[in-house]
Amino acid sequence: MPLVILEALEMGCPVVTFDIPAINDLVVDGYNGIVVSQSAGSQGFAQAIAWLLEDQQLWEKLHHNALQEATKYSLDKIISKWKSFLQVESE
């Protein structure tokens, strides 16, 4: 789980990323970021960034959803999950 993605979401920054399995659980295309097919290459990546910067409504939607997504990974929730995991493992 890339921390830089979580940090971006926590700050409300929509993420532009290539379609990489490790990131698919964090960034949902059109919800809290833009996922670019690897076959689109750097040109497709640049176009996605330009689109996000030019479309204020899209930016605001993704910004809001990024903040919402980040709450799933708050410290309290992560600690609770670790406690549950460790408790199950120790039994």
Side-chain angles (χ1 to χ4, degrees):
M1 179 174 292
L3 287 179
V4 69
I5 302 293
L6 288 174
E7 291 168 347
L9 295 174
E10 187 175 49
M11 299 306 296
C13 183
V15 175
V16 177
T17 181
F18 282 112
D19 187 12
I20 299 170
I23 299 174
N24 290 343
D25 290 337
L26 297 173
V27 180
V28 177
D29 189 40
Y31 175 72
N32 61 353
I34 300 173
V35 178
V36 179
S37 167
Q38 291 187 37
S39 64
S42 59
Q43 184 69 24
F45 196 84
Q47 287 174 341
I49 292 171
W51 176 37
L52 182 59
L53 293 174
E54 292 170 359
D55 188 333
Q56 185 66 32
Q57 283 185 311
L58 177 63
W59 173 269
E60 289 175 14
K61 172 188 165 189
L62 300 183
H63 165 77
H64 172 76
N65 293 337
L67 291 170
Q68 289 298 111
E69 186 70 17
T71 64
K72 293 179 184 177
Y73 302 95
S74 71
L75 188 57
D76 291 338
K77 289 182 181 178
I78 296 299
I79 288 172
S80 174
K81 288 181 182 185
W82 270 106
K83 283 181 179 179
S84 293
F85 173 75
L86 294 173
Q87 186 175 35
V88 168
E89 287 296 312
S90 67
E91 292 177 352

